[in-house]
């Protein structure tokens, strides 16, 4: 291995460590606890080393969001592929989305609540974000209905899921009714 390859591997390893540490700290204590000073202390590198990878917290949030989007896409596809029939697939997709949001609140915030400097619904949208949307579209596009644009239907269904995830987490909706809400969403919105 050349010196350049070793340096690139070490740099990539430091970057993964920064992102993993930021994510861990955010999941434990919230995003307000994630500062470059605290991250530098936890990873045992100086702040200038941290800044050589990310210009600041915003870019770190963006990196966590991209990692989370990739994980969400995998979870959504796994749930959909394990289900038989359109209705079961859409219900499994909705449950997987809500489960991901509940299990990964800091990642969910990085994806959808915080400014990570990422473009959504744009030609500059990073591939992991496009892929997470595609994971929804693959199943939801099949049940959009006649004359309904599949991407528009997927955006509407996604917005409903996001609302359920956000309102449940904020204590505005009782969590014990989540399964009933998913059934209602699938029955009425997807009409499958």
């Amino acid at each position: 291995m050349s010196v350049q390859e070793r340096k690139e591997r070490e740099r990539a390893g430091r970057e993964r460590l920064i992102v993993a540490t930021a994510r861990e700290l955010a999941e434990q204590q919230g995003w307000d606890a994630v500062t470059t000073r605290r991250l530098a202390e936890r990873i045992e590198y100086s702040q200038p080393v941290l800044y050589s990878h990310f210009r600041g917290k915003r870019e770190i949030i963006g990196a966590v969001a991209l990692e989370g989007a990739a994980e969400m896409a995998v979870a959504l596809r796994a749930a959909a592929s394990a289900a038989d029939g359109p209705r079961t697939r859409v219900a499994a997709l909705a449950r997987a989305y809500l489960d991901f949001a509940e299990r990964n609140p800091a990642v969910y915030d990085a994806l959808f609540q915080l400014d990570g400097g990422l473009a959504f619904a744009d030609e500059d949208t990073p591939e992991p974000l496009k892929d997470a949307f595609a994971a929804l579209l693959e199943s939801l596009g099949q049940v959009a209905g006649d004359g309904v644009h599949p991407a528009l239907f997927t955006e509407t269904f996604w917005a409903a899921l996001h609302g359920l995830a956000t309102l449940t987490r904020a204590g505005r909706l009782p969590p014990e009714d989540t399964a009933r809400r998913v059934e209602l969403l699938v029955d009425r919105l997807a009409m499958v």
Side-chain angles (χ1 to χ4, degrees):
M1 173 183 310
S2 73
V3 172
Q4 182 64 27
E5 289 172 329
R6 181 182 53 79
K7 285 182 179 183
E8 287 174 11
R9 189 179 71 217
E10 289 171 357
R11 181 172 176 73
R14 278 193 309 272
E15 195 165 296
R16 282 191 304 274
L17 178 62
I18 292 166
V19 171
T21 304
R23 184 175 174 168
E24 178 183 317
L25 188 57
E27 291 290 1
Q28 292 170 352
Q29 299 176 30
W31 278 104
D32 287 343
V34 179
T35 65
T36 53
R37 184 185 57 75
R38 288 184 83 187
L39 284 174
E41 288 172 3
R42 283 210 175 187
I43 65 173
E44 298 179 345
Y45 283 104
S46 67
Q47 281 184 300
V49 169
L50 196 137
Y51 282 116
S52 74
H53 291 274
F54 299 99
R55 287 185 291 210
K57 184 175 176 177
R58 181 178 186 218
E59 284 189 5
I60 294 168
I61 290 168
V64 170
L66 293 176
E67 187 176 273
E71 291 170 11
M72 178 183 275
V74 168
L76 294 174
R77 285 191 175 102
S81 70
D84 287 331
R87 186 186 193 296
T88 307
R89 193 168 25 260
V90 171
L93 188 74
R95 283 191 301 275
Y97 183 96
L98 295 172
D99 289 346
F100 182 89
E102 182 181 357
R103 282 191 325 274
N104 304 284
V107 172
Y108 193 82
D109 285 349
L111 271 163
F112 302 119
Q113 306 287 70
L114 302 173
D115 179 9
L118 303 173
F120 281 81
D122 190 79
E123 62 186 46
D124 294 334
T125 300
E127 198 55 43
L129 298 178
K130 289 179 182 178
D131 190 48
F133 184 77
L136 290 168
L137 181 62
E138 289 161 8
S139 292
L140 294 172
Q142 297 172 10
V143 298
D146 293 338
V148 177
H149 191 279
L152 186 61
F153 177 77
T154 301
E155 290 169 350
T156 303
F157 198 91
W158 170 32
L161 290 174
H162 176 69
L164 290 175
T166 303
L167 292 170
T168 301
R169 187 165 144 209
R172 304 292 198 277
L173 298 175
E176 61 271 13
D177 292 331
T178 297
R180 290 178 42 209
R181 286 187 198 95
V182 167
E183 292 302 314
L184 183 62
L185 184 62
V186 171
D187 287 342
R188 299 295 182 211
L189 189 57
M191 299 184 62
V192 288

